[in-house]
């Protein structure tokens, strides 16, 4: 059912935070821009959104795992074949590693094809040599260059077309067996791993995984398996409500019941003409008996989330999100009171639909021990215990300044891995289940084939002084290719031990949390990804 007393523009009667204030010289463009957006075709379909809802219901039931990752702030310049391919390849490689350890399907959601806006703690920032200027809010608001900091509504239209181009290329890649089949993953070079013990642990997983894939190929068991049907959904933070409203459409709600009935009506055997007509008549009658329903779908992405800065119960963003049928995420930070979370769930998910809401917890390694348990207890004591998905965002609570260059932001792999490990353990202690991970990551390399150097540590053991080698982000620091695989190996190892009834071995965890960048020989990493010499 549609949310009561809701329309795509009912958010306008509420207080809004993180709003964009357009100056007089550009504000007049906004009505024409939003009117254009309303007339443009959907970027995603209602059928796709419904399939994702079903997949996430499986995650909520503990029958699948959620992998969500991509850029912090996507740029229009990232809409290139190389950049799109590198992110998809990384998500596919990570998902394969997790599938092997967990023995569960992985639902892959890209932070991309629309992640062009970012909330900021301050409206202005100081640029060395220039002075105070408006903060960069993302490419669909203003440009990163100081000369382009004036917010311009016409960027919303550019956002639509860049999202469309990204989605179009994603779909073409994922429909290609040569690109999307998980039977033939990328070469598993682990020469970037500096710790011999960690390299040995990774190699054991890769050897076992490769043997399993070879066995499947030999016996011919790949057809129709989760290794062949690769889907990657899109997501972004639903921050700019004028854009989201313009791309919210009433569409037919395709129910699970109707789909099940249709499958029952298809016989695997040839039918006589009279029997075929009878079946057709029954099918038509059944579908006609279904009450035609419409729902409001946000067709800019499959999945949207509410940020930690815009989750006010009486705010504009919560009002908008409660009415769309898309599955949604809620960022849960240290300032979220347990009772506030339950009140929020009652607003955005009154029907308690499994998988409708993903709780993306972002506490930081120093606060997760005290902040996560009361949140879990509150949910378990409510009617949402087996309804929500628990996901860990180890990025946003662990941002620090570089010791060598305080103006540069970075993150330590030791901190992020610690928060992931603590989250698994805390959920287990409370008879709950961590079923997802939310990462800012990239497979991007420079012209020489070096991965980005934005986060410290990991199996590459990057040092603070290495940040300048290939620091590319325009917003928050991202895990590079090798560091992202570190996390995938960690999660796979955890689930493998869980399946075998063992306690989580500390080998991978110990090495990743203690990697400080000392030692090593500066060896080259996987093809196209090189470890800088330190």
């Amino acid at each position: 059912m549609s949310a009561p007393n809701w329309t795509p523009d009912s958010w306008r009667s509420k207080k809004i935070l993180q709003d964009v204030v357009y100056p007089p010289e550009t504000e007049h463009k906004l009505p024409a821009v939003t009117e254009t957006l309303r007339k443009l075709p959907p970027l995603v379909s209602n059928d796709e959104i419904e399939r994702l809802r079903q997949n996430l219901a499986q995650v909520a039931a503990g029958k699948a795992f959620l992998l969500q990752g991509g850029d912090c702030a996507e740029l229009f310049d990232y809409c290139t074949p190389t950049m799109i391919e590198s992110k998809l390849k990384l998500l596919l490689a990570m998902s394969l590693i997790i599938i092997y350890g967990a023995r569960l399907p992985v639902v892959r959601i890209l932070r991309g094809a629309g992640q062009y806006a970012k909330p900021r703690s301050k409206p202005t920032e100081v640029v060395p040599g220039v002075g105070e200027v408006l903060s960069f809010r993302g490419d669909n608001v203003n440009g990163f260059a100081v000369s382009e900091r004036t917010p311009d509504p016409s960027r919303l239209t550019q956002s639509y077309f860049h999202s469309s181009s990204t989605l179009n290329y994603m779909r073409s890649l994922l429909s290609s067996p040569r690109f999307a089949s998980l039977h033939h993953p990328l070469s598993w070079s682990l020469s970037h791993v500096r710790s011999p013990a960690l390299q040995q642990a990774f190699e054991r997983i890769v050897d076992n995984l490769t043997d399993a894939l070879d066995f499947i190929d030999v016996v011919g068991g790949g057809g129709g398996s989760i290794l062949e049907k690769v889907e990657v959904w899109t997501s972004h933070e639903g921050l700019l409500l004028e854009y989201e409203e313009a791309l919210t459409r009433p569409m037919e709600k395709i129910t699970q019941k109707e789909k099940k009935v249709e499958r029952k009506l298809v016989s695997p055997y040839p039918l006589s003409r009279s029997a075929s007509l009878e079946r057709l008549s029954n099918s038509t009658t059944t579908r006609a008996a279904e009450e035609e329903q419409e729902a409001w779908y946000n067709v800019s992405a499959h999945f949207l989330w509410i940020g930690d800065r815009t989750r006010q119960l009486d705010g504009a963003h919560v009002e908008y999100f409660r009415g769309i049928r898309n599955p949604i995420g809620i960022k849960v930070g240290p300032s979220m009171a347990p009772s506030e979370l339950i009140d929020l769930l009652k607003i955005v998910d009154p029907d308690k639909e499994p998988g409708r809401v993903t709780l993306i917890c972002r506490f930081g390694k120093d606060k997760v021990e005290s902040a996560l348990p009361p949140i879990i207890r509150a949910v378990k004591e409510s009617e949402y215990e087996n309804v929500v998905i628990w996901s860990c965002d180890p990025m946003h609570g662990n941002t620090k300044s570089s010791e060598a260059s305080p103006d540069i932001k970075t993150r330590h792999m030791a901190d992020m891995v610690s928060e992931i490990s603590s989250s698994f353990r805390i959920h287990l202690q409370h008879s709950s289940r961590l079923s997802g991970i939310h990462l800012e990551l990239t497979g991007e390399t420079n012209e020489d084939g070096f991965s980005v150097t934005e986060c410290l540590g990991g199996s590459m053991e990057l040092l603070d002084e290495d940040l300048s080698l290939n620091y590319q982000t325009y917003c928050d620091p991202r895990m590079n290719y090798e560091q992202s695989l570190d996390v995938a190996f960690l999660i796979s190892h955890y689930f493998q031990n869980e399946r075998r009834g063992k306690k989580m071995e500390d080998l991978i965890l110990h090495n990743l949390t203690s990697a400080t960048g000392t030692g090593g020989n500066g060896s080259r990493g996987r093809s196209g990804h090189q470890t800088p010499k330190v």
Side-chain angles (χ1 to χ4, degrees):
M1 294 178 62
S2 299
N5 303 316
W6 185 91
T7 58
D9 64 350
S10 58
W11 63 269
R12 294 177 181 272
S13 65
K14 306 287 185 177
K15 181 180 179 181
I16 186 168
L17 298 184
Q18 295 290 325
D19 194 21
V20 177
V21 179
Y22 294 104
E25 60 266 31
T26 63
E27 184 182 21
H28 68 279
K29 301 179 184 178
L30 186 58
V33 166
T34 54
E35 184 60 27
T36 296
L37 291 172
R38 287 189 179 93
K39 297 176 181 178
L40 290 170
L43 293 174
V44 300
S45 72
N46 55 336
D47 186 62
E48 291 172 338
I49 293 170
E50 290 296 337
R51 291 209 312 273
L52 176 58
R53 283 172 57 93
Q54 293 172 28
N55 289 349
L56 291 176
Q58 294 296 300
V59 177
K63 298 178 181 179
F65 187 83
L66 171 61
L67 171 63
Q68 188 170 7
D71 287 298
C72 168
E74 197 177 7
L75 299 182
F76 293 159
D77 287 345
Y78 292 173
C79 187
T80 68
T82 300
M83 294 289 283
I84 296 168
E85 288 171 15
S86 68
K87 280 179 277 197
L88 289 184
K89 286 178 180 178
L90 179 51
L91 282 180
L92 295 183
M94 292 178 70
S95 68
L96 184 57
I97 294 169
I98 295 172
I99 287 170
Y100 173 76
R103 297 296 197 271
L104 291 172
V106 170
V107 179
R108 310 165 194 86
I109 302 182
L110 175 71
R111 278 180 61 114
Q115 176 58 8
Y116 296 117
K118 285 292 292 183
R120 306 306 297 231
S121 56
K122 297 179 181 179
T124 61
E125 61 182 334
V126 176
V127 176
V130 177
E132 187 174 20
V133 299
L134 290 172
S135 295
F136 174 56
R137 292 287 307 273
D139 263 357
N140 62 357
V141 177
N142 55 5
F144 184 77
V146 172
S147 60
E148 299 177 345
R149 292 298 176 93
T150 300
D152 187 344
S154 63
R155 286 178 168 269
L156 297 176
T157 310
Q158 295 181 56
S159 174
Y160 172 91
F161 285 110
H162 281 87
S163 298
S164 178
S165 296
T166 301
L167 268 163
N168 183 57
Y169 191 56
M170 283 177 58
R171 287 181 170 128
S172 68
L173 289 172
L174 295 173
S175 66
S176 167
R178 294 183 62 186
F179 181 91
S181 175
L182 296 184
H183 282 276
H184 307 287
L186 304 175
S187 60
W188 298 105
S189 172
L190 297 171
S191 58
H192 67 274
V193 181
R194 299 198 168 194
S195 162
L198 191 60
Q199 186 175 54
Q200 189 177 29
F202 285 0
E203 285 175 345
R204 279 199 301 269
I205 295 175
V206 169
D207 288 344
N208 292 336
L209 173 56
T210 304
D211 284 345
L213 291 174
D214 288 344
F215 175 76
I216 291 173
D217 282 338
V218 170
V219 300
S225 75
I226 61 173
L227 301 180
E228 295 290 342
K229 295 181 178 179
V230 174
E231 291 181 308
V232 179
W233 313 99
T234 62
S235 68
H236 63 258
E237 180 175 356
L239 192 61
L240 304 186
L241 296 184
E242 289 91 349
Y243 180 81
E244 308 301 347
E245 176 192 328
L247 289 168
T248 303
R249 313 283 170 80
M251 305 177 80
E252 180 185 357
K253 185 165 64 176
I254 305 169
T255 64
Q256 262 189 319
K257 179 181 177 182
E258 183 178 348
K259 287 191 170 185
K260 288 179 180 177
V261 169
E262 288 178 349
R263 282 198 293 270
K264 288 178 181 178
L265 292 172
V266 177
S267 172
Y269 305 106
L271 297 174
S272 66
R273 176 174 173 78
S274 59
S276 298
L277 291 174
E278 182 181 356
R279 289 289 180 94
L280 179 60
S281 174
N282 290 340
S283 172
T284 305
T285 303
T286 302
R287 284 197 296 271
E290 291 281 344
E291 180 184 355
E292 286 194 11
Q293 297 184 49
E294 283 192 342
W296 289 98
Y297 292 85
N298 182 308
V299 294
S300 70
H302 301 106
F303 179 105
L304 293 93
W305 72 85
I306 306 174
D308 198 41
R309 294 185 176 100
T310 54
R311 53 170 173 74
Q312 297 74 27
L313 297 178
D314 58 350
H317 289 83
V318 170
E319 170 62 21
Y320 172 77
F321 271 75
R322 78 179 179 93
I324 58 174
R325 185 157 169 82
N326 306 59
I328 66 172
I330 298 173
K331 287 292 187 84
V332 181
S335 63
M336 173 78 86
S339 59
E340 180 187 7
L341 175 59
I342 302 305
D343 289 341
L344 182 52
L345 288 173
K346 291 177 180 177
I347 294 172
V348 298
D349 187 21
D351 297 329
K352 305 170 187 65
E353 300 175 84
R356 152 73 171 167
V357 176
T358 298
L359 301 180
I360 308 169
C361 298
R362 40 148 296 175
F363 298 113
K365 83 171 184 67
D366 295 329
K367 296 181 179 179
V368 65
E369 298 283 352
S370 60
L372 181 55
I375 293 291
I376 294 176
R377 286 194 295 267
V379 172
K380 286 182 67 66
E381 293 168 2
S382 73
E383 297 176 283
Y384 292 91
E385 179 179 5
N386 298 313
V387 174
V388 300
I389 295 169
W390 292 98
S391 181
C392 173
D393 169 2
M395 313 291 296
H396 287 88
N398 293 303
T399 306
K400 298 180 178 179
S401 296
S402 162
E403 294 180 3
S405 304
D407 292 335
I408 295 178
K409 291 189 292 185
T410 188
R411 289 161 174 158
H412 294 251
M413 282 294 293
D415 295 342
M416 294 183 283
V417 166
S418 176
E419 182 168 358
I420 294 170
S421 174
S422 295
S423 297
F424 272 117
R425 174 177 47 78
I426 292 168
H427 276 281
L428 184 63
Q429 291 171 345
H430 289 79
S431 301
S432 180
R433 184 178 181 85
L434 181 65
S435 294
I437 193 79
H438 184 110
L439 304 171
E440 291 183 340
L441 53 79
T442 180
E444 177 184 355
T445 61
N446 64 12
E447 294 178 354
D448 296 321
F450 284 93
S451 295
V452 301
T453 53
E454 299 168 3
C455 295
L456 303 180
S459 59
M460 298 178 75
E461 299 185 0
L462 292 178
L463 294 169
D464 195 274
E465 59 254 35
D466 297 324
L467 292 177
S468 61
L469 293 174
N470 193 19
Y471 193 94
Q472 295 293 329
T473 184
Y474 287 80
C475 195
D476 290 339
R478 304 160 295 176
M479 291 181 185
N480 63 23
Y481 184 97
E482 291 81 1
Q483 292 165 337
S484 301
L485 291 188
D486 289 345
V487 172
F489 280 121
L490 176 73
I491 295 172
S492 179
H493 191 61
Y494 171 84
F495 281 122
Q496 189 175 49
N497 286 323
E498 181 187 61
R499 285 190 295 104
R500 295 174 177 175
K502 298 180 180 179
K503 290 185 177 180
M504 184 174 183
E505 296 177 13
D506 291 332
L507 179 60
I508 293 179
L509 176 63
H510 172 75
N511 278 273
L512 290 179
T513 53
S514 61
T516 58
T518 57
N521 57 10
S523 60
R524 292 186 182 275
R526 66 175 290 281
S527 111
H529 291 76
Q530 302 171 350
T531 304
K533 295 181 179 180
V534 295

